[in-house]
């Protein structure tokens, strides 16, 4: 059925593929997701009519090359690569890229989203560049040395957090990001406090932040806010306000 219920049904399927880093489920549900989002976008714009049989139309070759499918494709692929990076699952990224290229052609919608995850980038400019550069290291198991580890983890967490909030899959990225954030800062508490600035103040703050048991957006925002002084990261007033508002719980 071509309506919001069908959109929600397909969204749930690709959501699960992203949050659990399931390449087979992502591959199976990728084109159906592009079909429903492309159609709903056109329907809302008044460019198409709802089909009489209620079946979501398949994408035409022209639509597969169009900007709408590419935009939704880039978003979905980028989200999948982000959650895969958080789990260090390079094989999942490889499998998805190979399967989509074989079935849809090498320039399939969303193909460009893989670029940032495929090569080192020592001079990232855009937010996507920063996420890709951090994810490339995660996927390759490139662990920073202990003196740099907390800072690199903080920076990667911030970039992933910012990018997740721009995605159609914000919650699906946030949960794995929160799990990753907890694991990295727990490791710092256990093995890396000697590399933190202002240890006497930073350790109790870190312990308090980790005492929160919920793995969600507020937890991540609070960790970023509270641990910035521990890595001597200056935050603008706007950034502090932004993180504080997101860390606040009802």
């Amino acid at each position: 059925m071509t309506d919001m219920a069908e959109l929600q049904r397909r969204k749930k399927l690709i959501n699960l593929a992203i949050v659990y880093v399931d390449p087979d489920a992502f591959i199976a549900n990728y084109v159906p997701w592009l079909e429903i989002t492309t159609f709903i976008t056109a329907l809302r714009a008044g460019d198409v009519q709802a089909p009489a049989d209620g079946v979501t139309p398949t994408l035409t070759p022209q639509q597969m090359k169009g900007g709408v499918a590419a935009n939704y494709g880039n978003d979905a692929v980028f989200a999948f690569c982000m959650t895969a990076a958080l789990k260090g699952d390079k094989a999942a990224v490889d499998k998805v890229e190979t399967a989509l290229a074989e079935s849809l052609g090498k320039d399939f919608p969303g193909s460009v989203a893989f670029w940032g995850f495929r090569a080192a980038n020592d001079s990232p400019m855009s937010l996507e560049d920063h996420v890709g550069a951090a994810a490339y290291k995660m996927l390759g198991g490139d662990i920073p040395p202990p003196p740099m580890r907390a800072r690199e983890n903080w920076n990667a967490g911030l970039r992933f957090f910012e990018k997740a909030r721009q995605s159609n899959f914000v919650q699906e990225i946030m949960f794995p990001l929160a799990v990753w954030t907890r694991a990295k800062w727990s490791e710092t508490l256990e093995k890396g406090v000697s590399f933190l600035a202002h240890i006497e103040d930073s350790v109790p703050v870190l312990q308090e932040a980790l005492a929160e048991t919920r793995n969600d957006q507020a937890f991540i925002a609070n960790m970023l806010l509270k641990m910035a002084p521990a890595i001597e990261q200056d935050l603008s007033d706007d950034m502090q306000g932004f993180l504080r508002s997101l860390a606040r719980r009802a």
Side-chain angles (χ1 to χ4, degrees):
M1 181 179 294
T2 305
D3 56 16
M4 293 305 295
E6 180 64 9
L7 176 66
Q8 292 170 2
R9 186 187 73 82
R10 297 191 188 192
K11 178 68 160 58
K12 181 178 180 179
L13 293 172
I14 201 163
N15 283 353
L16 292 172
I18 289 170
V19 74
Y20 291 115
V21 192
D22 185 335
D24 293 322
F26 187 86
I27 293 163
N29 292 288
Y30 185 67
V31 172
W33 171 244
L34 296 187
E35 288 174 346
I36 192 67
T37 50
T38 299
F39 178 76
I40 292 294
T41 299
L43 188 65
R44 288 174 174 172
D47 295 332
V48 297
Q49 298 293 322
D53 60 6
V55 177
T56 303
T58 59
L59 292 172
T60 65
Q62 183 179 5
Q63 287 175 317
M64 290 291 282
K65 303 294 184 182
V68 175
N71 287 341
Y72 283 112
N74 285 332
D75 180 44
V77 166
F78 212 95
F80 183 85
C81 290
M82 287 174 70
T83 57
L86 291 167
K87 294 186 177 182
D89 195 344
K90 183 177 182 296
V93 175
D94 293 341
K95 186 172 186 177
V96 167
E97 184 176 21
T98 298
L100 295 182
E102 288 178 350
S103 62
L104 304 175
K106 64 180 183 180
D107 58 345
F108 61 88
S111 59
V112 299
F114 285 102
W115 294 356
F117 299 88
R118 289 308 191 194
N121 186 346
D122 296 327
S123 301
M125 299 293 290
S126 67
L127 176 58
E128 289 74 18
D129 288 343
H130 281 281
V131 172
Y136 176 74
K137 292 183 178 182
M138 295 177 190
L139 290 168
D142 184 2
I143 302 173
M148 300 173 59
R149 197 166 296 171
R151 173 171 289 276
E152 288 204 21
N153 288 340
W154 188 92
N155 280 303
L158 176 65
R159 300 304 186 177
F160 271 58
F161 186 72
E162 291 177 313
K163 181 60 180 174
R165 285 180 50 80
Q166 298 178 2
S167 176
N168 285 312
F169 302 97
V170 56
Q171 298 304 326
E172 289 66 43
I173 301 170
M174 283 296 180
F175 176 72
L177 178 57
V179 171
W180 177 89
T181 298
R182 185 179 299 280
K184 294 303 179 183
W185 284 106
S186 294
E187 179 185 60
T188 297
L189 182 61
E190 294 171 6
K191 305 175 183 179
V193 294
S194 61
F195 300 108
L196 297 179
H198 320 294
I199 296 177
E200 297 84 356
D201 297 325
S202 298
V203 171
V205 170
L206 177 54
Q207 290 172 326
E208 182 181 0
L210 286 171
E212 168 57 57
T213 59
R214 287 168 286 190
N215 289 320
D216 56 11
Q217 177 175 261
F219 168 72
I220 302 167
N222 190 55
M223 289 296 303
L224 291 169
L225 180 66
K226 294 296 180 63
M227 297 317 299
I231 60 165
E232 299 186 302
Q233 175 66 49
D234 292 330
L235 295 176
S236 67
D237 291 342
D238 287 345
M239 178 57 75
Q240 288 187 49
F242 170 70
L243 291 174
R244 191 173 290 111
S245 67
L246 295 175
R248 189 177 298 117
R249 295 187 184 276

